[in-house]
Structure formats: C-alpha cells, structure tokens
Amino acid sequence: MAGRIRDDDIALVRERSPIAEVIGEHIQLRNAGGGNLKGLCPFHDEKSPSFNVTPERGMYYCFGCSEGGDVITFVEKIEHLSFSEAVERLAQRAGVQLQYEQGGYVPKRDHGERARLIEAHRAAAEFYADKLMSPEAGPGRRFLSERGFERADAEMFGVGYAPAEWEALTRHLLARGFTSDELVKGGLAKEGRRGPIDRFRGRLIWPIRDATGDVIGFGARKLLDSDDGPKYLNTPDSPLYKKSQVLYGIDLAKREISKRAQAVIVEGYTDVMACHLAGVPTAVATCGTSFGEEHIKILRRFLFDQAEFRGEVIFTFDGDAAGQKAALRAFADEQKFVTQTYVAVQGDGLDPCDLRVKQGDAAVRDLIASREPLFQFAIRSTISRYDLRSNEGKIAALDAAAPIVAAIKDVGLRKRYAIDLDRWLGFMDERFVMQRIGEVSGAQQGPRRRVPHAAPVDPSVRVERELLKLAVQRPALLGPQFDALDPQAFTTPEHTALHKVITTAGGLAAAAHGGREWVDRLLEHAYEDGARALVTRFAVEPFQADAEVEQRYATGILARVETMAVDRAIAQVKSRLQRINPVDEAQEHRRLFGELLALEKQRKVLIERATGMQ
C-alpha cells in the first residue's frame, strides 16, 4: 500500500495549483472586486452567484450552501476523491513527483482508483486513435470523409477505431500493467466466458472527456453490417462516467461558452464536430440520453447563468415530428435556466453535420442565427396540430397551448405570449385568451404557500463578524490590540471559538501580514469542524471597506467591538447597583459606583475612537 504523502509535497502541490485556474476548469469565474472572484456554485443549484474564490489566500467559500476549503478540498468534492487521490490528481496536473513516507516513491500503479481509471482511458484513447490509420479502419475513415471530416479534424477530436477483434484493447492495456478488474470497472471491457473482452469492436470511436479534458468514456458508432448491436454504443455508467452528467465536447467548448455566453445543444458527436469546424465552437451534445437537469447544471456553471438574461442556450433539432417532440421535452427544463433559451430547427430535416456537407459552413452558422425563443416554438408547435379554420379547432388549440403559457413564471413574459397566442389563433380577443390561461394558471399553482422571512442578524454580531474577517484577512491592521481582547467581547459561541483559534495560533502578533500562510496556520489550530468552516468563510468573505480606508475601518471596528463589550459590563454593574441597598452596603455601593464611572469614561474614549476613525 502507498504510504503517507509528505507534508512538504502537499504544500508544494498547493503552491503549484492556483485555485482560480483549477476551479476555472469547472465553472466560469468573474471579478468580484477586492481581489475576489465569483461564480455559480457547482455543489448546489442557485439563481445568482454566491460561490466566491480568493486567490490571495487560496480559499473558496459558497455563501449559499457553506461549502468551502482550499484547492485540494475542491478537487476532493467536485470529483468525489479521497484526500490522497485529490493530491495525486493535482500533483499530476502540476508536474510534481510525490514522495511517500512509508516506502519512498510510489509508482503510478499504486495510486487511487480514479487516477488509475483515468490513465487506462487515456491509454485506450491513444490506442483507438492509432488504429484509425490501420488498413482495417478503412470503413471508419470513409464514414468520416463522407461527412466532410479530414484527418486533422479526426485528430482534433481524438476520433479512433476499435479493431474487430475480441481482445485487441484488453491485451494492450493488460500489457501496460492495468488489471482485468480495472478494465471491467471502467467499462473498457466486459466479462466473457474466458475472461474480459473488448466492449467496442469494429466501430468508430469518439473519446468523451470531462470539463478538465480527461477521457472518462467512449461513444462508438457501428460500421459493419455484421454488427448486430445498436447504431451507437456508449460506455456504461462507471466510477468515471455518468451519462446523465456528461456533455460531449464540453472540454473544447467551455471557454467559448463562457466568452460568448452561449451554448448550442446538438444531438450527436458528428454534429458537435460539424458545428465547431463551421464556426460554432459552443456546441455540445448529450451521450446516449436526453438532455436533463444534470446537463443544465454543467452548462449554467460556464454560462455564468444569472438574472441579467444575457446568455443563450440554443437547442437544435430536426424539423420532423421526432425533433419537435424532443424540443417540447426541452421546454419542460427551460425555466431551470435563468438565461434565454432558443430552438434552431432546420426545416428540411438536416442535422448540422448533413447541413454542413450539403450547404457548407455558412449554412450551419445561419441555422444557429435563425433561432427562435423556445416558448414561442413550443406554443406554435402545439397549435399547429389543430385546424384553426373553425372555432372548435381554435378553442382546442387554445386549451392545448394554455398550460404552456400558464407555466411561464415571469408574469410579464406570460402576458406577452398570451397576446401572441391570441394573434396566432385569430381570436382578436386578448381578454378572453388571458382569462382562459388564468384559469389554467390558477389550477396549476394551487394554494399559495407562505415563505417565512429570514431572521435579522443582530447588529453586534455583524460587527464581530467584520472584526474576525479582518483578523483572518488583514491581521496587520489590528495588531496586538486585538490580542488583548477578552474572549467575552464576543457574543456567539462560534465567534468565541474562532477567537480562541486565533489565540492558540499565536495571536495576530504571529500573523505577520496574513495571506495564505496565516490562513493555513489557523486551519491547523481549528480542531472543530465549525471553527474550520468559519476560518474558511472569513478567509473569502469580503469586509465592508475599500482598500484606501482599510486601516481606519479596522481601527473603528475594533473600537466598536470593545465599546459593545463595555456596554454589556456597564449594564451588569447598573443591574447590581439596583439590587443593593446604598445604606446597608455602602462600601460595595461605592466600589460599584466607582467601577461604573471608570467604565463610562472608557466607553467615551472608545466611542470617540470608533466614530473618529471611520
């Protein structure tokens, strides 16, 4: 078994794995000011970005679901790896050769399961690509050529060929040191009567990559009449590959999707190739399954999908009945995007690949440019099934289309489509049409459910939070005065616990200028999960001051926390004074009164500092 990875190597992996770059391979990040970046959280669904990254301190935190940590934590969670596997994955990315404390250097064959399966798939992709140039792959090359693809295009997308043999790939990978169990578990092989046999034989092969570019599965197209299998065959679900969570081409398209705020959904591997080569580099496709909620989550992270409605998701479907049905299925998921959703339908039934062959690259670009809003397409496709020359047909069409319009969440948009529907049906009676839609809408929504309001945050808690954020992010602004604070200056158990962590870590006197090393030191001394989570959050969450006034702000916040602590002490002294008899307990009364005067004087000084320094 592999030994423990050396701490120095883990630190080196962190240092050579810029958190913004690693996370940027999975979601689009934009400048949030103050050196922070933000994006849509990959760990939960959200309408507006609450996922923040602070490269200076190498941390991320989501204010929506409270997930947070460093670059290793992110890779652990996003790829479902153990800590060691995540370190190994990042080490491979950064070119760091790891040393293990028990047994020295451990070769790759002893790494984690996921890393092993990734390596096996990479080797399989290279094997298939090499075989595309072999004599027996002639039918595969002919298939590509007939669809307008040249050798360079095949190399760009990694297209390959699986020999029509039982064990060609299996023998190759076993000779490379992979085990039969790994090949079967990864979906590269399946159990035969005498051992593992190749899953794909005599087929054209497309490697399917995740957003980071790792091969996680394959799609295979039948070429031979003797092949009695389905036209397309895909890798089965495996530890790497979940078909409902995979988009073919996302590795090539993700940067253009982010840049253009556009994603084009096509139906097949050759359609993705045709679109990219024709000048539509935002095209992706599902892999053997219909477009669904998990695919939406992937796209939203790169679209930076949010309430501004600046982006586009464009579905392309054939113009036949099956294509229209697929588009209407997509309608059900439309409102899970915040961005605008369109349909681009080729009237003559040509898919993007065939369209490119017959009419050229410009025709593919024109198809995407001719898109129409998905709501409009869904409504018009529905009413086209009815005879609108009779009142009976118009009413039937209205009743069929009404649920679609009623399902539109945006009230203004719903009204506009109600008016359009009236015009398309020819009633010329908007009030009647809207009443009919309103009846359906009321039935769909059911009784209204009251949503409880979030409890307001105590002002003193907000001030404490700001102070602790400064202590984590800018310790030099607070200095030894923070270290002199009494733990009772904090009013919540979480804040008291974090103050204890800071004290245990040596206080701000040991923090120098902060940064990543200070945050790492705090995490080392945060033994409880709650304290670790708070360190992570406060390392990322911005405080409420511009850079040019940070010092004044820090001084003022510290004074306000001290003032609130003095206020609580004053209240306690006054309460005790009220409970004693000034005649019978004259000495105690004088002592408490003197203490009260001292506290009042201290309070006055702190208020002057708090108000004068902000």
Side-chain angles (χ1 to χ4, degrees):
M1 291 189 54
R4 182 177 180 273
I5 303 171
R6 294 194 316 177
D7 290 342
D8 288 349
D9 284 357
I10 294 173
L12 183 60
V13 166
R14 280 198 185 97
E15 181 183 329
R16 295 189 181 176
S17 302
I19 193 166
E21 289 182 16
V22 174
I23 294 179
E25 293 175 354
H26 297 270
I27 66 173
Q28 184 190 8
L29 295 171
R30 289 186 180 171
N31 190 352
N36 284 358
L37 304 168
K38 67 177 180 180
L40 288 168
C41 181
F43 303 118
H44 83 289
D45 288 332
E46 58 179 3
K47 294 289 186 183
S48 57
S50 57
F51 185 89
N52 284 250
V53 179
T54 304
E56 179 189 358
R57 289 176 287 280
M59 306 297 291
Y60 73 91
Y61 188 83
C62 175
F63 296 97
C65 68
S66 301
E67 287 284 0
D70 64 5
V71 67
I72 297 174
T73 311
F74 180 83
V75 173
E76 279 186 77
K77 293 182 183 297
I78 198 74
E79 299 192 18
H80 307 290
L81 304 177
S82 68
F83 177 83
S84 296
E85 289 172 334
V87 173
E88 288 165 350
R89 179 72 183 275
L90 288 168
Q92 186 178 43
R93 179 186 182 278
V96 174
Q97 181 172 296
L98 298 174
Q99 299 288 328
Y100 295 75
E101 291 185 342
Q102 298 171 9
Y105 172 65
V106 178
K108 288 184 177 179
R109 66 173 181 272
D110 291 331
H111 285 188
E113 178 186 87
R114 180 182 172 86
R116 293 281 296 156
L117 295 181
I118 288 288
E119 290 171 20
H121 279 72
R122 184 184 300 112
E126 293 171 355
F127 173 84
Y128 289 139
D130 288 343
K131 292 298 180 182
L132 184 62
M133 293 299 111
S134 65
E136 67 173 301
R141 294 194 298 274
R142 188 160 53 251
F143 175 94
L144 293 171
S145 179
E146 289 171 352
R147 285 155 181 78
F149 302 123
E150 301 175 354
R151 179 173 179 176
D153 304 329
E155 290 175 352
M156 173 182 173
F157 288 89
V159 183
Y161 175 76
E165 303 176 31
W166 289 103
E167 301 169 357
L169 177 67
T170 299
R171 285 196 305 271
H172 176 76
L173 294 180
L174 290 175
R176 294 279 298 269
F178 297 100
T179 67
S180 298
D181 287 345
E182 287 172 335
L183 302 189
V184 172
K185 181 172 284 190
L188 297 168
K190 57 185 179 180
E191 291 290 355
R193 284 180 292 182
R194 298 181 180 178
I197 58 175
D198 293 356
R199 180 169 294 278
F200 307 118
R201 301 186 300 277
R203 288 178 173 250
L204 200 60
I205 299 290
W206 281 266
I208 300 169
R209 295 181 169 89
D210 64 14
T212 67
D214 283 333
V215 179
I216 56 174
F218 296 94
R221 208 278 187 188
K222 181 166 68 173
L223 295 170
L224 307 174
D225 293 336
S226 58
D227 188 337
D228 59 357
K231 183 177 178 180
Y232 280 95
L233 187 64
N234 293 301
T235 295
D237 279 0
S238 74
L240 296 183
Y241 181 88
K242 301 287 187 293
K243 63 183 179 182
S244 64
Q245 301 172 10
V246 174
L247 284 170
Y248 175 72
I250 191 65
D251 58 307
L252 297 175
K254 64 180 183 180
R255 298 199 185 282
E256 288 297 322
I257 288 174
S258 296
K259 180 179 176 182
R260 303 185 184 202
Q262 178 199 75
V264 175
I265 316 300
V266 298
E267 291 193 311
Y269 307 126
T270 56
D271 292 331
V272 171
M273 293 176 69
C275 283
H276 280 251
L277 295 170
V280 184
T282 57
V284 294
T286 59
C287 301
T289 185
S290 59
F291 189 85
E293 190 168 345
E294 293 299 323
H295 301 119
I296 291 173
K297 291 179 182 178
I298 296 171
L299 286 181
R300 290 191 69 233
R301 298 201 297 264
F302 292 110
L303 282 166
F304 203 76
D305 189 24
Q306 56 180 319
E308 285 87 342
F309 276 85
R310 291 179 295 189
E312 298 179 342
V313 175
I314 304 169
F315 293 91
T316 65
F317 299 103
D318 295 343
D320 57 15
Q324 290 192 5
K325 185 177 180 181
L328 291 174
R329 278 201 310 270
F331 169 80
D333 285 325
E334 197 278 343
Q335 293 174 101
K336 292 175 182 173
F337 289 105
V338 179
T339 193
Q340 300 175 85
T341 313
Y342 296 86
V343 173
V345 176
Q346 182 64 20
D348 54 14
L350 296 177
D351 58 31
C353 182
D354 292 336
L355 182 62
R356 178 172 178 262
V357 171
K358 294 187 177 182
Q359 300 181 33
D361 290 350
V364 177
R365 296 193 296 270
D366 289 344
L367 168 64
I368 304 306
S370 69
R371 66 202 181 279
E372 65 175 310
L374 183 53
F375 284 132
Q376 176 178 307
F377 177 84
I379 296 167
R380 299 197 72 158
S381 295
T382 298
I383 65 177
S384 69
R385 302 196 301 263
Y386 297 88
D387 181 1
L388 303 183
R389 294 171 296 180
S390 67
N391 286 328
E392 289 81 1
K394 289 180 181 180
I395 290 294
L398 171 57
D399 288 347
I404 298 175
V405 181
I408 300 174
K409 295 177 182 177
D410 185 287
V411 176
L413 197 59
R414 189 191 315 149
K415 183 176 180 180
R416 293 308 311 169
Y417 274 111
I419 294 171
D420 285 341
L421 178 58
D422 173 55
R423 179 167 51 86
W424 294 332
L425 292 174
F427 279 117
M428 307 308 290
D429 188 345
E430 294 175 5
R431 181 176 295 180
F432 168 71
V433 171
M434 294 182 72
Q435 180 181 351
R436 199 90 168 190
I437 292 170
E439 292 170 358
V440 174
S441 178
Q444 285 183 347
Q445 292 178 3
R448 289 197 163 194
R449 184 169 59 89
R450 295 188 63 182
V451 179
H453 294 290
V457 179
D458 188 315
S460 62
V461 173
R462 283 202 297 267
V463 176
E464 292 172 19
R465 183 185 298 165
E466 287 295 291
L467 181 63
L468 290 168
K469 279 190 282 184
L470 287 163
V472 173
Q473 296 181 32
R474 298 284 190 273
L477 297 177
L478 298 173
Q481 203 166 349
F482 176 91
D483 294 337
L485 277 177
D486 191 292
Q488 293 183 352
F490 299 95
T491 58
T492 72
E494 295 82 5
H495 291 174
T496 303
L498 180 52
H499 177 263
K500 182 179 179 181
V501 168
I502 294 171
T503 302
T504 307
L508 300 195
H513 295 289
R516 188 166 178 170
E517 292 182 3
W518 173 235
V519 173
D520 288 343
R521 185 179 177 89
L522 292 177
L523 289 171
E524 288 175 9
H525 290 82
Y527 304 115
E528 298 179 0
D529 290 343
R532 291 184 63 84
L534 209 56
V535 170
T536 302
R537 172 173 180 159
F538 286 172
V540 173
E541 185 174 351
F543 48 85
Q544 309 300 312
D546 295 329
E548 59 270 17
V549 296
E550 281 183 2
Q551 183 61 70
R552 284 189 298 151
Y553 181 74
T555 303
I557 286 292
L558 181 59
R560 287 181 64 188
V561 170
E562 291 177 294
T563 300
M564 291 186 296
V566 170
D567 283 343
R568 290 192 294 273
I570 288 172
Q572 290 176 355
V573 171
K574 285 182 176 180
S575 175
R576 288 162 61 191
L577 277 170
Q578 290 174 352
R579 293 197 302 270
I580 66 173
N581 188 311
V583 177
D584 296 339
E585 302 176 79
Q587 186 175 353
E588 178 65 8
H589 188 274
R590 284 195 298 273
R591 187 188 69 79
L592 287 174
F593 190 74
E595 186 177 335
L596 179 60
L597 290 175
L599 287 170
E600 293 282 8
K601 184 177 180 180
Q602 183 183 358
R603 182 178 186 275
K604 183 179 178 181
V605 172
L606 289 171
I607 289 176
E608 290 175 354
R609 190 195 308 164
T611 55
M613 299 299 292
Q614 294 186 68

